[in-house]
Amino acid sequence: MMPQRICSLNNAPVTKGPVVYWMSRDQRVADNWALVHAQALALERQVPLAVAFTLAPAFLGATLRQYAFMLKGLAETARRLADLNIPFYLLHGEPPDEICRFARLHDIGTVVTDFDPLRVKRAWREEAAVRLEIPVVEVDAHNIVPCRLASGKLEFGAYTLRPKIQRLLPDFLHEFPPLQHHPFPWPSPPETFAVDSVLATLAIDRTVPEAAWLLPGEAEGHQRLAAFIAHGLASYDCRRNDPCADGQSGLSPYLHFGQLAPQRVALEARRHHPSSPSALAFLEELIVRRELSDNFCLYNPFYDSVQGFPSWGVRTHDEHRHDRREYVYSREQFAAAATHDPLWNAAQREMVTTGRMHGYLRMYWAKKILEWTPTPEDALATAIYLNDRYQLDGRDPNGYAGIAWSIGGVHDRAWGERPVFGKIRYMNAAGCKRKFDVREYIRRYQGDH
């Protein structure tokens, strides 16, 4: 494994004892650089290896929809690990407390964890690294080019990050080594947890039901990838922006929960469609745009605040802060899809009922929230709340960056000035009608759908 993926989070000396992989963002067995590194350390030291996941009692407004998808995927992960003689522990409580308690209880010698740019995850890792007197090592198992290596600063946009990633990509986009059946057994491994029993213990919002249209887990993610490569990738470039065409990959929930490695997706896309326009368009989104979102959240401490907008975006919002809004809706009206705009309402209903929304419509959806709320602060908070409550892939750098692009001009440029928006790029229903069959999309997501 390329050592540039690894970042030591403390300076604690190496000690004897088992290795634990503190799984968080990358919830899979196959194609997982953090697990590969953890096993390499354990084999080198001839010690047992375990995987631990710390289940926080609440996480950024996640509901039953997201917790159930995640836990069902983790149950599959636990079974796959058991086949490799690696036990899986599901720990309940505040993550830094639980991983420190686990490390002391089992005389752990090293903690390996995965990379996540979100503030709350970084705070968990940093607290654990301070409290533990053993090495805590972070491995970027999510980005193809490690985020910190790709750039050491906040990038202006895709055009500044793209050449940096393209220069490094040949060094990192290669096959994963296989995991071994671990030869050093863990004493008294735990039983596999029961998903329904765990869900019953959580004090979470159960009014947002599970998404019925897809199954969670590593195996299902790989099946959906294979189906997309076989039947969807060739036409991706001409179908991706049409919400009625079912032209997107459908892989976002699996990538968000780490049930599928972006690197595996890129490898398969390049293997089967090495240089087609559709493959190039897909890889641009999968690699450059997705890793740009991680860059945004890693280096901008205000990625979910108006303070995180570029200076021109902050300025234009201040200049138009008191512009008259033709319509103003409450958060509850937005959630209920009770606006005057049938297209916006249909997009909101799609998200509420399915846990997804087409990427093109997400932009329109967020920009109309800006147009119909009293302030940009209200707009940003409402968009994040709705996105994270209903989307399976909410609470993700892609979501924060996409909303900040739509509302604050992040990774964009200034456009012609207009009321409310100022110089923020504008979208309207007429533009959507030129892109796709708006009437058909609305029909699909009528109020009684």
Side-chain angles (χ1 to χ4, degrees), residues 73-381:
L74 286 172
E76 180 185 333
T77 297
R79 292 190 295 269
R80 287 172 174 252
L81 287 167
D83 291 340
L84 295 170
N85 201 32
I86 302 170
F88 178 89
Y89 285 86
L90 185 66
L91 310 178
H92 301 253
E94 293 301 326
D97 295 341
E98 295 307 314
I99 199 66
C100 289
R101 185 178 296 116
F102 180 88
R104 292 175 180 127
L105 178 64
H106 295 279
D107 293 321
I108 298 298
T110 298
V111 174
V112 176
T113 190
D114 43 37
F115 168 80
D116 194 315
L118 298 188
R119 277 192 311 273
V120 61
K121 297 284 196 74
R122 294 172 65 188
W124 290 349
R125 297 193 303 270
E126 290 165 5
E127 182 180 342
V130 168
R131 290 169 58 180
L132 289 171
E133 298 177 353
I134 56 174
V136 179
V137 179
E138 174 193 273
V139 178
D140 192 338
H142 211 78
N143 294 290
I144 299 174
V145 176
C147 188
R148 290 189 173 91
L149 179 66
S151 176
K153 64 177 184 178
L154 181 67
E155 294 292 335
F156 290 106
Y159 72 98
T160 61
L161 183 62
R162 186 180 298 109
K164 297 178 180 181
I165 286 181
Q166 289 175 340
R167 175 172 52 85
L168 294 165
L169 198 59
D171 293 333
F172 289 92
L173 186 52
H174 52 73
E175 270 295 343
F176 294 85
L179 291 167
Q180 298 181 32
H181 186 273
H182 202 71
F184 307 104
W186 189 273
S188 303
E191 296 288 331
T192 301
F193 67 91
V195 172
D196 290 342
S197 298
V198 174
L199 283 172
T201 68
L202 297 175
I204 55 175
D205 184 346
R206 300 174 190 276
T207 62
V208 182
E210 296 181 55
W213 62 277
L214 81 173
L215 297 173
E218 197 169 327
E220 183 68 18
H222 280 269
Q223 288 183 19
R224 285 187 171 265
L225 170 60
F228 173 67
I229 296 291
H231 306 295
L233 183 55
S235 60
Y236 181 77
D237 193 35
C238 61
R239 290 161 56 88
R240 59 178 167 150
N241 286 329
D242 184 349
C244 298
D246 194 25
Q248 296 195 318
S249 71
L251 300 176
S252 182
Y254 302 97
L255 294 171
H256 166 72
F257 286 102
Q259 297 170 0
L260 185 63
Q263 187 159 336
R264 172 56 57 199
V265 178
L267 287 168
E268 296 304 312
R270 285 177 53 147
R271 180 177 295 118
H272 291 88
H273 297 269
S275 58
S276 71
S278 283
L280 294 176
F282 177 69
L283 290 170
E284 164 73 12
E285 294 181 1
L286 175 75
I287 302 174
V288 176
R289 301 286 174 166
R290 191 183 53 79
E291 299 196 4
L292 178 64
S293 298
D294 266 29
N295 171 276
F296 173 62
C297 290
L298 179 63
Y299 294 115
N300 189 331
F302 305 109
Y303 58 77
D304 54 356
S305 163
V306 169
Q307 291 175 267
F309 295 169
S311 57
W312 69 265
V314 173
R315 186 164 56 251
T316 200
H317 276 312
D318 284 342
E319 291 169 355
H320 291 270
R321 182 171 295 276
H322 302 294
D323 288 3
R324 177 182 172 274
R325 273 75 170 160
E326 185 176 2
Y327 302 95
V328 176
Y329 297 107
S330 67
R331 180 176 292 186
E332 292 73 23
Q333 288 173 306
F334 281 121
T339 79
H340 68 285
D341 181 353
L343 176 58
W344 194 94
N345 293 344
Q348 174 68 14
R349 289 191 196 102
E350 179 187 14
M351 182 171 70
V352 170
T353 57
T354 70
R356 64 179 178 181
M357 185 191 295
H358 188 281
Y360 183 79
L361 276 173
R362 277 208 217 192
M363 297 185 292
Y364 176 80
W365 172 87
K367 286 181 177 294
K368 290 304 165 185
I369 293 175
L370 169 62
E371 189 173 347
W372 303 332
T373 45
T375 68
E377 289 82 3
D378 289 331
L380 187 66

